[in-house]
Amino acid sequence: MSDQVRIIDVGPRDGLQNEKLPIPTDVKLRFIQALADAGLNEIEATSFVSPKWVPQLGDAAELWPHLPSSPLFSALVPNAKGLERAIVVGVKRIAVFTAASDAFTRKNINMSVEESLEAFRAVIEEFRAQVPGGWVRGYVSTAFECPFAGLVAPSAVREVSMKLLEMGVDDISIGDTIGVAGPSEVHSLTNTLLEVIPIEKFAYHFHDTHGTAVANVSKALELGIRAFDSSAGGLGGCPYAPGATGNLATEDLVYLLNREGFRHGVALDRLATASLEILKLFGRSPYSKGQLAQLSASGTFPT
Ligand code: HMG
Ligand code: MG
C-alpha cells in the first residue's frame, strides 16, 4: 500500500461557511494563500451555492479570479445556476453534494436524494461538455448518521455512491457530517463501499464533534484509504446539520500522518500559524490538539 496521502483542506469552504462574522474576500484570500504556502496541494476554496442559503460564501465569484495558479482549487456547485457562475470565472474542479438521507438533503439543498441525483446528472453533463479535462467530486453526507433521521444503513451510502460513480465522478467523499462515527463503524462502512468505490477515488470527510475523527482516519488508513478532507484549525460545520461542529483539524491529521510515516507535503508549523490568524479573527483560541502542540513547541502559543 502506498505511503502517500492526499489531504484536501476544506477550511475555506466548510470551515468558513458556518461562521456568522462577515469575512472580507481579501482575508479569505490571505488564508488560502497561507494554506498553499504550508504545502496543501488540494484546497476547496468556496461554494457557488445560493447566497441566501450561505451568505458567508456569497463572494465566490469575486474570490475565484484572485486565487493563485496553484495548488488545485475546487468549489461546491449545487445546481445549474451555480455551475454557470462557476464556469464564468474559470472553475475546473467542482464538487456536487448529496447525502444518504432524504431528511438531511431536503434541509440542505431543498431536494430529495433522488431529485438531487437527477439535478447533479445534468450539472455533471454540462460541466463535462463545457470544461474538457475538468474534475468532479461527489459528496455523500450523513454516511453514518443523519441529524434528523438517525442511523444510516451502509447499503444506503453504497447505493448513492454507485449512482454518483455511474455519472462519472472522479472522486467520492464520504461524510460523517455530524461527527459521530467510531472506528468499528468506519471499518464496516469502508468494507461495504470498497465493493463499489475504486480505492483511488475514495476519500473520507470526518467532522470531529466527539473527538473520534483521528481514530477514524487511523482505521481508514489501515484499510487502505489514502485521501482525507480536513480543515485548518478544525473550523467547520454545515449550517443545515444541527449539532455538527468542526471538521477534523488538518493539524491533527498531519500530526498523525507524520507519526505514522505517511507522506503528504504539508508543513505543520506553517499550517498552525495560518490557522491561528483566521481563528484570531473570530476571537477564538486554537482548540485542535495538533495545532496547540505545534504552536507551543514553536513558542508562538497565543497569550
Ligand atoms: P432553493 O431555495 O430551493 O432554490 O435552494 P431556488 O432555485 O428556488 O432559488 C432560490 C433563490 O436562490 C433564487 O433567488 C435563485 O436565483 C437563487 P431569487 O429568485 O429568490 O432572488 N439561487 C442561486 N444564487 C446563486 N447561486 C446559486 C443559486 N441557486 C439558486 N447556485 C439551493 C436550492 C440548492 C440553491 C440551496 O438549497 C443551496 O444553495 N443550498 C446550499 C447549502 C449549503 O451550501 N450547505 C453546506 C454545504 S454541504 C456540507 O457542508 C456537507 C459537506 O461538508 C460534507 C459533509 O460534511 O458531510 C459537503
Ligand atoms: Mg462537511
Side-chain angles (χ1 to χ4, degrees), residues 13-14 17 44 47-54 76 78-83 85 97 104 107-111 139-142 173-178 205 207 237-240 247:
R13 193 278 302 172
D14 201 330
Q17 70 185 8
E44 198 170 74
S47 293
F48 291 84
V49 296
S50 168
K52 292 190 171 141
W53 285 63
V54 182
L76 296 197
N79 55 13
K81 179 156 191 179
L83 182 66
R85 290 173 60 218
F97 51 108
F104 172 72
K107 297 272 189 207
N108 195 38
I109 50 176
N110 205 16
M111 301 177 218
Y139 274 105
V140 186
S141 288
T142 60
S173 179
I174 303 296
D176 183 8
T177 315
I178 52 173
H205 177 109
H207 282 258
C238 174
Y240 298 100
N247 288 82

Side-chain angles (χ1 to χ4, degrees), residues 95-113:
V96 297
F97 51 108
T98 185
S101 140
D102 269 330
F104 172 72
T105 314
R106 283 198 188 282
K107 297 272 189 207
N108 195 38
I109 50 176
N110 205 16
M111 301 177 218
S112 66
V113 172

